[in-house]
Amino acid sequence: GIEDGGDKVKQFVVGRMSEVERDPPGSAQQTPEVERIRLHPLNWEIDPPTEVTLRVAADYVPDVGRWLRDPDSQSEQGDEVEMTYVVTHRAAFRARIYQLGTRVKIIGPDEFRDEVLADLRHLVGL
């Protein structure tokens, strides 16, 4: 909606509004298209986009999809599947990788794999 006296578009949750009045049908102003805020942390643009490729046993593909969302691309490699993600929030992505544990192998890039290894070393005090 557009608030009185302003030109900024705001999103409202009607169930939390008070003193709501209804105008006659067709009297609303045309509101501009607004890009909705993505609430899933893996969609936040915190870091520059990096393509990260994981290798997963075919049996674990559904688990990986639940934790990391659907990949940007995937291809079968024998009994395994390579899943590629464009990562824009590295810390959130690493946290999900840690939840998946040995179900995933980081294929690349080397820079991301090294970042994960350094983070894990830090966590265990090395």
Side-chain angles (χ1 to χ4, degrees), residues 11-25:
Q11 296 177 10
F12 299 97
V13 176
V14 178
R16 297 183 192 155
M17 295 174 69
S18 58
E19 300 179 33
V20 176
E21 295 178 22
R22 184 176 152 189
D23 291 335

Side-chain angles (χ1 to χ4, degrees), residues 59-83:
D59 292 344
Y60 294 135
V61 168
D63 290 342
V64 175
R66 277 190 293 276
W67 279 99
L68 299 177
R69 71 179 166 24
D70 291 332
D72 294 295
S73 66
Q74 75 179 43
S75 62
E76 292 185 23
Q77 307 288 323
D79 324 355
E80 297 180 315
V81 177
E82 281 195 4
M83 304 171 81

